[in-house]
């Protein structure tokens, strides 16, 4: 021992504890767990990077795996060669990895458990999808760290243009923790990533509708939805996997079972041996013979004894063999170098944040390169503008340094610009080359402006991430291999509730109910009707809606809040019942009322929800932005920002290229387009969910306000009804197309004293039926074909006989609803006697053009 060394006593327990913690963290961080950003463990990342540096790309020749292993051991991974080669092999096995990252050549093992050939015999190269994980790595997109011997550097994470952790999964056992992430379908994971990009507050519920569950490379079935739902929401769950088997009839009249797909991570040879063992032990006594006829595809044939039922034997195989297995999911990965169990949204957020950082750094790099090149081109332009003087100075100089100093003294040039000018070749001084320099400079200026805009806007950065994901999606899209089926006993409400038509009513006092439309019989125009609903004293029905029980209804409140429910969730009541308080069904604030209800089948992003307010403001938003309203939120989500004193009066769904018509309380109408059909110019633009709108209609009459919004259907007619029970049915073309924000033309002739106003307006066809509802609760169901067409702006024809003091309150179209077998369930009872009406009196067209 030298004199400089000292011996200090220490407790061996403390030393062991410190050493074990250091060892544990080394295993966790540097060996066993994947990074949540690129989904790779260090050895996997080093293999891919080493192959990139060796030029083993997907469109180049294969090279020996021995060379790859040697390169990885030499520069990046100071461990045994077996660990590196085993990892390389697993990345190439298409029954282990859903989207292989290495393209193999030679014997790389089999699903039967056969080992691969030695690495001196096998060859490999990167796949195209692996190159996407490495794309842009040389543009300073990720941090590089020194390798173990500090002779070179290696990436701490890959740029990962695809969400590799979820698409390929990962398995690892660390110290005191383990991860087991199943592979998923890339299309679903990209769609979920885009959902997170579009709405950072997207719910886990919505993501669970996008990510259906695991997509194992060996196919088969995942049985049961509870385990999938558990791990997507909490990061931990157990999914049951089953192989796929069917029965075939043999030539001798017997029956055989053929297994074509096996569960993930199940050894096929061991499965066949286990079945044979159970047959030998007479545990499975209905089997006569077992044969493995598999090649690259699985085909295990099980011949049954005469009289045995195939389904019974298949169920026995599920119970007694690995044909049904469990996969315990643990979504554990490194987040900022810390192990963390995450749900599906947190994993996607890690990936999306990583891609935003990668593209931000790439944009900074490209901006520096573009600005540097533009700087050189600016020097070229100065030289070309003063070419004769530059040539004279250079010719008069004794050497390069003297020429550089003279040029920099005479012109505003940097040293780099001057050196670049002195390096110019003579042919670059021609007119053609000058034009090329000018064109390159202009293109660089455009690029620099675009790159600076991306760096200044997080939304543009998100859009760029989304754009690149959407570009890669069709390139690597693969159909789902693994089928997800409910377990016995699992069902959806839709499976037990018939899909049938119904009528939903909401009273002025806030009573809501759902009634089968078969309870309302069809009557002739002008009929007295039947009692449609019972009401409390001084209460009346204010809203009426027709829908199918499997649809969604978006409820929009007077304050602009949105909440979506399934139609079957609406309390059911008889035709004459009062219904239940809407406050017990929806969580409404004080003084808040339902302003509009809209039926939708789903929340797609190619359709738009257009809201209209009392003051004539309209707002258009993609329907997909409202999916979050299906959650059971307190008060719903903001659908529109309203000015003080304004309120929502209606909503419609459009395609983005429709025409919209607005009708005011005093009978004026405005018809305008969302998009110009010739130029494609958008005339009515979409905005975010929690935003204000734009002016849809201006009012020329005092105390007028907006009452109705409808989508124009040129195959239909527009029916406008007044409180007096009169209606005008005419073509939409009779309403002149104007710009949004006009004052409109007359739709129906109403008294100037405002004693009678608009009751409603809607698009109808001859085969439709409509429901007419009065303030006193009377209802009439009337065929549209019985309503005669009259001129726009006339008084109209009689729709319903009203009792003294009663008035028409609302009109709604009865929709045809088909059950699951396609049978029309719409009530067409026409047993009510017809009512004779006097001929309608048509008033003259008194329209006023704006």
């Amino acid at each position: 021992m030298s004199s400089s060394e000292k011996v200090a006593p220490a407790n061996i327990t403390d030393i062991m504890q410190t050493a074990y913690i250091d060892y544990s963290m080394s295993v966790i961080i540097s060996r066993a767990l994947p990074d949540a950003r690129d989904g790779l463990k260090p050895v996997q990342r080093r293999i891919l990077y080493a192959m990139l540096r060796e030029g083993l790309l997907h469109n180049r020749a294969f090279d020996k795996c021995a060379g790859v292993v040697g390169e990885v051991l030499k520069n990046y991974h100071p461990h045994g060669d077996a660990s590196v080669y085993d990892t390389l092999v697993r990345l190439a096995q298409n029954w282990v990895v859903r989207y292989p990252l290495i393209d193999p050549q030679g014997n790389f093992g089999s699903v039967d458990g056969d080992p691969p050939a030695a690495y001196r015999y096998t060859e490999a190269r990167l796949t195209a999808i692996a190159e996407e994980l490495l794309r842009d790595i040389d543009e300073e997109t990720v941090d590089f760290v020194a390798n173990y011997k500090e002779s070179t550097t290696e990436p701490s994470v890959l740029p990962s243009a695809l969400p590799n952790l979820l698409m390929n999964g990962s398995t690892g056992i660390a110290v005191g923790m383990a991860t087991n992430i199943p592979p998923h379908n890339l299309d679903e994971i990209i769609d979920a990533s885009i959902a997170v990009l579009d709405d950072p507050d997207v719910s886990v519920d919505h993501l669970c509708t996008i990510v259906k569950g695991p997509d194992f490379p060996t196919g088969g079935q995942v049985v049961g939805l509870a385990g999938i739902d558990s791990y997507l929401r909490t990061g931990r769950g157990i999914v049951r996997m089953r192989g796929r088997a069917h029965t075939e009839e043999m030539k001798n009249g017997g029956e055989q079972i053929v297994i074509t797909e096996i569960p993930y991570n199940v050894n096929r040879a061991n499965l066949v041996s286990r079945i044979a063992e159970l047959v030998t032990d007479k545990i499975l006594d209905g089997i006569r013979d077992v044969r493995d006829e598999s090649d690259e595809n699985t085909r295990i044939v099980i011949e049954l004894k005469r009289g045995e039922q195939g389904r019974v034997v298949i169920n026995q195989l599920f119970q007694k063999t690995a044909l049904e297995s469990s996969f315990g999911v643990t979504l554990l990965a490194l987040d900022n170098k810390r192990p963390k169990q995450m749900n599906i949204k947190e994993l996607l957020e890690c990936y999306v944040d990583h891609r935003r950082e990668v593209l931000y750094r790439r944009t900074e790099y490209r901006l520096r390169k573009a600005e540097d090149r533009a700087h050189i081109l600016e020097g070229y332009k100065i030289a070309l503008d003063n070419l004769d003087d530059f040539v004279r100075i250079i010719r008069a100089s004794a050497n390069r340094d003297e020429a550089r100093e003279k040029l920099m003294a005479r012109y505003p040039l940097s040293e780099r610009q001057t050196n670049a000018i002195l390096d110019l070749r003579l042919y670059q001084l021609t007119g053609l080359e000058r034009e090329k320099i000018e064109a390159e400079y202009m293109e660089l200026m455009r690029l620099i402006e675009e790159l600076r805009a991306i760096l200044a806007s997080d939304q543009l950065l998100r859009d760029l991430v989304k754009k690149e994901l959407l570009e890669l999606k069709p390139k690597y899209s693969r159909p789902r291999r693994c089928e997800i089926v409910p377990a016995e006993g699992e069902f959806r409400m839709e499976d037990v509730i018939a899909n049938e038509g119904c009528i939903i009513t909401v009273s002025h006092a806030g009573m809501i109910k759902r009634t089968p439309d078969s309870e309302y019989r069809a009557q002739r125009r002008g009929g007295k009707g039947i009692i449609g609903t019972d009401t409390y004293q001084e209460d009346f029905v204010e809203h009426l809606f027709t829908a199918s029980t499997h649809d969604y209804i978006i409820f929009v409140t007077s304050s602009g809040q949105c909440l979506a429910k399934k139609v079957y969730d609406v309390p059911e009541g008889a035709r004459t019942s009062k219904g239940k308080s809407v406050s017990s069904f929806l969580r409404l604030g004080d003084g808040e009322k339902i302003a509009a209800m809209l039926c939708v089948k789903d929340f797609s992003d190619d359709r738009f929800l257009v809201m209209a307010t009392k003051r004539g403001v309209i707002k258009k938003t993609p329907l997909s932005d409202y999916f979050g309203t299906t959650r059971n939120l307190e008060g719903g989500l903001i659908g529109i920002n309203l000015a003080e004193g304004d309120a929502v009066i209606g909503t419609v769904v459009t395609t983005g290229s429709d025409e919209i018509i607005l009708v005011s309380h005093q009978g004026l109408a405005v018809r305008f387009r969302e998009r110009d059909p010739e130029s494609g110019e958008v005339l009515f633009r979409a905005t975010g969910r929690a935003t204000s709108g734009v002016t849809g209609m201006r009012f020329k009459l005092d105390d007028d306000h907006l009452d109705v919004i409808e989508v124009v259907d040129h195959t239909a007619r527009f029916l406008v009804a007044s409180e007096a029970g009169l209606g005008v049915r005419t073509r939409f073309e009779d309403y002149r197309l104007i710009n949004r924000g006009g004052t409109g033309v007359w739709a129906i002739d109403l008294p100037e004293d405002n004693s009678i106003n608009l009751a409603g307006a809607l698009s109808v066809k001859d085969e439709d039926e409509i429901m007419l509802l009065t303030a006193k609760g009377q209802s009439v169901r009337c065929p549209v074909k019985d309503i005669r067409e009259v001129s726009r702006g006339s008084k109209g024809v009689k729709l319903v006989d009203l009792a003294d003091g009663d008035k028409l309150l609302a009109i709604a179209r009865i929709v045809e609803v088909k059950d699951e077998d396609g049978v029309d369930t719409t009530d067409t009872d026409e047993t009510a006697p017809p009512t004779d009406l006097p001929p309608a009196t048509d008033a003259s067209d008194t329209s006023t053009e704006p």
Side-chain angles (χ1 to χ4, degrees):
M1 184 175 68
S2 66
S3 59
S4 61
E5 293 178 339
K6 294 182 180 180
V7 176
N11 190 323
I12 191 171
T13 303
D14 296 337
I15 297 296
M16 290 294 292
Q17 182 178 1
T18 303
Y20 189 74
I21 291 175
D22 292 343
Y23 163 74
S24 301
M25 291 306 298
S26 174
V27 171
I28 291 169
I29 302 299
S30 303
R31 189 179 303 179
L33 298 184
D35 194 298
R37 296 170 293 178
D38 63 3
L40 297 171
K41 301 176 187 179
V43 63
Q44 296 171 330
R45 189 179 302 116
R46 289 162 177 167
I47 290 171
L48 298 182
Y49 183 67
M51 293 179 73
L52 175 70
R53 288 292 169 249
E54 285 195 311
L56 297 179
L57 304 182
H58 78 281
N59 53 1
R60 297 186 185 176
F62 289 91
D63 202 358
K64 289 290 185 183
C65 291
V68 176
V69 173
E71 179 69 15
V72 173
L73 295 179
K74 172 186 174 184
N75 288 321
Y76 308 114
H77 199 69
H79 300 283
D81 59 345
S83 65
V84 176
Y85 186 51
D86 287 347
T87 301
L88 187 152
V89 167
R90 284 183 62 85
L91 291 176
Q93 291 175 331
N94 59 11
W95 61 92
V96 174
V97 184
R98 179 65 178 87
Y99 301 89
L101 303 180
I102 291 177
D103 187 10
Q105 182 165 275
N107 177 13
F108 272 69
S110 72
V111 72
D112 292 321
D114 299 321
Y119 52 60
R120 61 181 178 275
Y121 300 117
T122 57
E123 297 180 340
R125 62 185 179 188
L126 293 172
T127 62
I129 203 168
E131 292 174 25
E132 302 296 350
L133 304 184
L134 294 155
R135 191 171 70 179
D136 306 324
I137 197 170
D138 292 327
E139 296 188 74
E140 300 180 5
T141 52
V142 293
D143 293 330
F144 277 72
V145 295
N147 67 342
Y148 69 94
K149 58 182 180 179
E150 298 187 353
S151 61
T152 185
T153 58
E154 62 176 304
S156 59
V157 66
L158 297 188
S160 191
L162 290 169
N164 177 63
L165 180 61
L166 285 168
M167 78 182 191
N168 272 329
S170 185
T171 300
I173 301 175
V175 179
M177 61 187 70
T179 185
N180 204 21
I181 303 174
H184 295 79
N185 187 268
L186 181 58
D187 291 16
E188 296 174 8
I189 298 302
I190 288 179
D191 289 342
S193 301
I194 290 173
V196 173
L197 284 166
D198 289 339
D199 181 10
D201 297 325
V202 64
S203 67
V204 177
D205 292 342
H206 183 38
L207 295 176
C208 289
T209 65
I210 300 174
V211 181
K212 307 302 181 185
D215 188 19
F216 296 114
T218 53
Q221 294 179 326
V222 172
V223 182
L225 307 179
I228 296 174
D229 189 70
S230 175
Y231 88 74
L232 290 178
R233 294 176 186 276
T234 68
R236 188 180 293 272
I238 297 176
V239 297
R240 280 197 301 153
M241 306 175 294
R242 279 183 177 176
R244 196 181 295 275
H246 66 274
T247 59
E248 294 179 355
E249 187 175 345
M250 296 187 294
K251 293 181 179 179
N252 61 6
E255 195 175 26
Q256 65 183 20
I257 297 171
V258 179
I259 300 173
T260 56
E261 295 175 0
I262 61 175
Y264 185 57
N265 283 342
V266 169
N267 185 302
R268 187 171 61 196
N270 291 345
L271 174 63
V272 175
S273 299
R274 176 59 178 164
I275 296 173
E277 180 183 331
L278 293 174
V279 172
T280 303
D281 295 341
K282 299 188 181 302
I283 296 175
L284 294 177
D285 55 4
I287 298 176
R288 186 172 64 186
D289 187 23
V290 180
R291 299 189 307 276
D292 188 359
E293 300 178 356
S294 305
D295 44 25
E296 65 272 8
N297 299 315
T298 296
R299 181 176 170 86
I300 301 172
V301 179
I302 301 171
E303 289 188 15
L304 303 180
K305 294 179 180 178
R306 187 173 298 276
E308 292 292 336
Q309 295 183 3
R311 176 49 55 189
V312 173
V313 177
I314 289 175
N315 287 335
Q316 291 176 338
L317 292 173
F318 286 149
Q319 294 173 1
K320 294 178 170 54
T321 71
L323 193 59
E324 177 176 309
S325 304
S326 295
F327 188 95
V329 180
T330 304
L331 303 184
L332 182 72
L334 297 177
D335 181 18
N336 292 323
K337 296 187 177 181
R338 292 179 178 271
K340 181 180 178 182
Q341 180 178 310
M342 293 175 272
N343 61 23
I344 186 67
K345 181 180 179 182
E346 291 171 319
L347 282 178
L348 290 169
E349 286 175 337
C350 287
Y351 172 72
V352 166
D353 291 343
H354 173 58
R355 282 303 295 169
R356 287 168 60 203
E357 180 183 358
V358 165
L359 295 192
Y360 188 90
R361 294 177 61 164
R362 186 188 72 183
T363 304
E364 284 185 319
Y365 175 85
R366 291 180 178 179
L367 178 61
R368 288 197 303 271
K369 291 293 185 181
E371 289 176 337
D372 183 67
R373 179 59 180 168
H375 181 65
I376 299 298
L377 293 179
E378 287 168 355
Y380 286 172
K381 290 175 64 179
I382 293 174
L384 292 172
D385 290 340
N386 303 275
L387 185 57
D388 292 341
D389 192 33
F390 269 66
V391 172
R392 182 187 60 78
I393 292 174
I394 293 171
R395 290 182 62 184
S397 300
N399 52 47
R400 181 188 178 100
D401 291 340
E402 182 182 341
R404 181 174 63 249
E405 291 174 1
K406 288 182 178 180
L407 290 174
M408 291 175 63
R410 185 174 180 84
Y411 294 98
L413 297 171
S414 68
E415 185 173 346
R416 291 192 67 251
Q417 287 175 320
T418 309
N419 285 330
I421 292 169
L422 293 173
D423 290 336
L424 277 175
R425 298 178 181 179
L426 289 177
Y427 80 88
Q428 292 177 282
L429 304 179
T430 63
L432 182 61
E433 291 299 320
R434 180 185 183 122
E435 290 178 3
K436 288 183 179 179
I437 291 172
E438 290 282 354
E440 183 184 356
Y441 182 75
M442 295 303 296
E443 180 63 23
L444 277 175
M445 289 296 100
R446 185 199 61 77
L447 177 61
I448 288 171
E449 182 179 355
E450 179 182 322
L451 295 175
R452 287 175 176 170
I454 293 173
L455 294 177
S457 171
D458 182 65
Q459 185 58 50
L460 289 179
L461 188 63
R462 286 178 174 271
D463 291 343
L464 183 58
V465 176
K466 178 179 177 180
K467 176 186 175 184
E468 295 195 357
L469 283 173
L470 289 175
E471 289 174 350
L472 293 175
K473 181 180 176 181
K475 186 176 180 181
Y476 300 107
S477 176
R478 302 289 186 275
R480 172 174 275 279
R481 294 182 184 174
C482 186
E483 182 185 8
I484 297 175
V485 296
E488 294 180 7
E490 288 185 346
F491 63 90
R492 302 173 306 151
M493 288 298 294
E494 286 87 344
D495 297 329
V496 295
I497 295 178
N499 188 21
E500 59 186 9
C502 58
I503 294 172
I504 298 167
T505 57
V506 182
S507 76
H508 183 72
M511 308 302 291
I512 188 170
K513 69 174 180 179
R514 167 174 56 92
T515 307
D517 64 0
S518 58
E519 292 200 20
Y520 293 86
R521 69 174 186 267
Q523 288 186 282
R524 296 283 186 168
R525 174 175 59 87
K528 279 289 187 180
I530 58 176
I531 296 295
T533 181
D534 192 8
T535 55
Y536 293 105
Q537 187 176 4
E538 297 182 355
D539 193 13
F540 58 90
V541 174
E542 192 171 38
H543 299 284
L544 179 145
F545 198 81
T546 57
S548 164
T549 49
H550 287 191
D551 294 344
Y552 286 99
I553 288 188
I554 301 177
F555 293 89
V556 183
T557 70
S558 55
S559 62
Q561 300 293 312
C562 291
L563 186 67
K565 293 280 189 180
K566 280 287 190 179
V567 171
Y568 55 68
D569 288 330
V570 177
E572 187 173 8
R575 174 171 49 80
T576 57
S577 67
K578 299 179 178 65
K580 294 186 178 180
S581 172
V582 72
S583 60
S584 65
F585 174 63
L586 300 174
R587 297 173 179 176
L588 302 179
D590 294 339
E592 198 173 20
K593 296 172 60 179
I594 294 177
M597 296 183 291
L598 191 68
C599 176
V600 296
K601 297 290 183 185
D602 52 38
F603 292 83
S604 60
D605 56 6
D606 57 353
R607 292 184 297 162
F608 299 87
L609 188 67
V610 178
M611 291 186 180
T613 74
K614 188 174 181 179
R615 292 185 176 177
V617 174
I618 56 175
K619 194 206 71 162
K620 172 181 170 184
T621 304
L623 190 58
S624 56
D625 286 10
Y626 292 90
F627 184 83
T629 59
T630 60
R631 292 176 291 170
N632 190 20
L633 297 174
E634 183 71 37
L637 296 177
I638 297 174
I640 183 174
N641 288 334
L642 296 173
E644 187 176 354
D646 202 0
V648 176
I649 58 93
T651 58
V652 294
V653 173
T654 71
T655 63
S657 301
D658 288 325
E659 295 175 5
I660 296 173
I661 191 165
L662 308 174
V663 187
S664 76
H665 192 57
Q666 297 185 25
L668 286 163
V670 169
R671 172 180 160 226
F672 61 91
R673 286 175 172 153
E674 291 185 272
R675 182 190 301 270
D676 189 308
E678 296 180 358
S679 65
E681 178 187 0
V682 177
L683 306 175
F684 178 22
R685 298 188 179 277
T687 58
R689 176 175 51 79
T691 58
S692 303
V694 295
T695 301
M697 183 176 186
R698 291 183 171 86
F699 308 111
K700 63 169 60 175
L701 302 177
D702 295 337
D703 300 326
D704 200 4
H705 59 263
L706 193 61
D707 258 4
V708 174
I709 178 172
E710 275 283 323
V711 176
V712 173
D713 180 0
H714 289 287
T715 66
R717 297 290 185 265
F718 195 44
L719 176 62
V720 182
S722 72
E723 294 174 341
L726 301 177
V728 172
R729 183 165 77 106
T730 185
R731 303 181 311 155
F732 280 103
E733 289 81 356
D734 292 346
Y735 295 86
R736 183 171 58 86
L737 269 171
I738 63 174
N739 292 329
R740 173 181 56 79
T743 54
V745 297
W746 290 110
I748 189 170
D749 187 9
L750 299 176
E752 295 182 0
D753 60 1
N754 292 340
S755 59
I756 298 175
N757 291 298
L758 190 76
L762 70 159
S763 174
V764 294
K765 295 184 179 181
D766 287 346
E767 61 270 21
D768 289 339
E769 292 181 345
I770 60 170
M771 181 72 69
L772 306 164
L773 227 70
T774 73
K776 291 187 176 181
Q778 296 295 112
S779 65
V780 174
R781 185 169 176 171
C782 171
V784 169
K785 63 184 178 181
D786 290 352
I787 304 173
R788 179 163 50 87
E789 291 190 30
V790 294
S791 302
R792 174 183 62 79
S794 64
K795 293 184 182 298
V797 299
K798 184 176 291 186
L799 301 177
V800 61
D801 276 335
L802 297 173
D804 292 340
D806 200 4
K807 63 179 180 180
L808 183 61
L809 180 68
I811 60 175
R813 183 176 56 256
I814 302 296
V815 294
E816 287 190 1
V817 181
K818 298 183 182 296
D819 62 18
E820 301 295 349
D821 298 323
V823 178
D824 185 4
T825 62
T826 303
D827 179 26
T828 57
D829 178 19
E830 295 191 10
T831 59
T835 302
D836 294 328
L837 293 175
T841 302
D842 296 343
S844 60
D845 185 354
T846 57
S847 61
T848 57
E849 306 295 334

